Amino acid sequence: MLIAQISDPHVRPRGVLYHDIVDSNAMLMAAVRHLNTMTPRPDLVILSGDIVEKGEAAEYEVAREILAGIPMPLCVIPGNHDERDAFRAAFADHAYLPPSGPLSYTIGDRGPVRIVALDVTIPGAHHGIIDDERAAWLEQVLAAEPDRPTLIVMHQPPFDTGIPYMDPYACRNGARMAEIVARYPNVERIVCGHLHRAMQIRFGGTLLCTAPSTTTTIALQLDRAATDATYLEPPALLLHHWKGDTGLVTHHIMIGNYPGPYSFA
């Protein structure tokens, strides 16, 4: 089973640039084209939040038009830049989304790996949280299939990265989530967005990784005095490859055309 993960496209209304600098819409189109040229194609595509920048209906309209170019099944979760009601309205045809409350759900009919999407966003805030409601929901759904390979998807990562201008907006109460996940060794991976960077960490007895953005890269600055900074590095996506004999292998793939291929390895 092949699961592609794209994240943080920050779509804007037609003709508007992301932060007046970047054509984020064109970059999401490039990501869609890249997904469609992959051989073999992914069985499922995950978009792990911040689909749009301002949570506006005009942005979601553009996002849906671009995402319509993905022929594979697509599952989405909101990020801190998404607006919950507008998100729910924009993806009303996605039957897996709940009609109210946090947009958490499970998908189990797309292959051997079950998808558990955990919405940790808080309307009006940039950080996420594992509160009583979310903790109880996660425990319940993991307990329902304790032997099935499972991939947990969320937006804000539940750990501190050391980047001073990002960590205040992490998912809080991460230790509570780690305690729950540690009881279920069938959790193959936790995947997040939000950071616009690829990172890996051991978490709750499994591996947690964050996806790069299809648009911009947040600077890796570990100095406590560092201030906000972003680069226009090559955009990328993650490909999670499930095989029964190895489990889940995660690949970092650059989006775009580069010199090659050459006849050596």
Side-chain angles (χ1 to χ4, degrees):
M1 182 179 184
L2 292 172
I3 304 167
Q5 181 186 1
I6 57 175
S7 198
D8 297 85
H10 292 271
V11 169
R12 302 294 348 260
R14 291 178 183 83
V16 179
L17 299 179
Y18 176 53
H19 285 278
D20 299 320
I21 295 172
V22 186
D23 191 344
S24 56
N25 299 356
M27 297 182 82
L28 179 57
M29 292 179 197
V32 170
R33 288 194 298 269
H34 195 99
L35 288 170
N36 289 336
T37 62
M38 295 176 70
T39 305
R41 280 185 176 178
D43 300 292
L44 178 68
V45 177
I46 294 168
L47 207 176
S48 50
D50 280 359
I51 296 176
V52 303
E53 169 66 5
K54 299 290 187 181
E56 299 170 354
E59 294 175 321
Y60 285 113
E61 180 182 354
V62 176
R64 287 305 310 263
E65 288 183 5
I66 298 172
L67 295 173
I70 299 176
M72 299 79 82
L74 171 70
C75 62
V76 294
I77 61 168
N80 52 295
H81 283 268
D82 291 299
E83 199 282 322
R84 185 175 288 173
D85 290 337
F87 183 102
R88 201 188 312 269
F91 293 95
D93 57 324
H94 286 230
Y96 55 80
L97 291 174
S100 61
L103 293 162
S104 299
Y105 58 88
T106 64
I107 293 178
D109 61 351
R110 297 298 179 183
V113 178
R114 180 174 66 141
I115 306 300
V116 172
L118 178 61
D119 178 10
V120 297
T121 62
I122 304 169
H126 284 297
H127 68 278
I129 195 166
I130 302 295
D131 55 13
D132 291 344
E133 179 184 6
R134 290 165 175 86
W137 183 88
L138 181 62
E139 181 83 56
Q140 180 181 13
V141 298
L142 292 180
E145 295 190 71
D147 300 318
R148 183 164 179 194
T150 296
L151 178 73
I152 298 175
V153 186
M154 54 199 295
H155 182 67
Q156 293 99 329
F159 71 97
D160 284 343
T161 66
I163 301 175
Y165 43 84
M166 293 302 295
D167 286 342
Y169 310 122
C171 176
R172 299 176 185 175
N173 296 343
R176 186 174 189 181
M177 180 178 179
E179 290 176 1
I180 296 170
V181 171
R183 292 194 281 272
Y184 299 94
N186 61 310
V187 175
E188 285 281 329
R189 196 79 86 249
I190 302 169
V191 298
C192 308
H194 190 56
L195 296 178
H196 293 221
R197 298 196 64 86
M199 298 185 187
Q200 298 181 58
I201 185 174
R202 286 197 62 81
F203 182 90
T206 189
L207 182 65
L208 183 153
C209 58
T210 66
S213 169
T214 61
T215 301
T216 57
T217 302
I218 290 174
L220 179 59
Q221 299 187 110
L222 302 179
D223 187 330
R224 292 183 179 180
T227 56
D228 296 16
T230 286
Y231 288 96
L232 293 181
E233 295 180 3
L237 58 87
L238 298 183
L239 183 68
H240 310 288
H241 184 193
W242 166 262
K243 295 194 298 179
D245 57 342
T246 60
L248 206 61
V249 179
T250 295
H251 303 274
H252 181 275
I253 302 173
M254 297 297 183
I255 296 169
N257 297 313
Y258 301 95
Y262 301 104
S263 58
F264 57 84

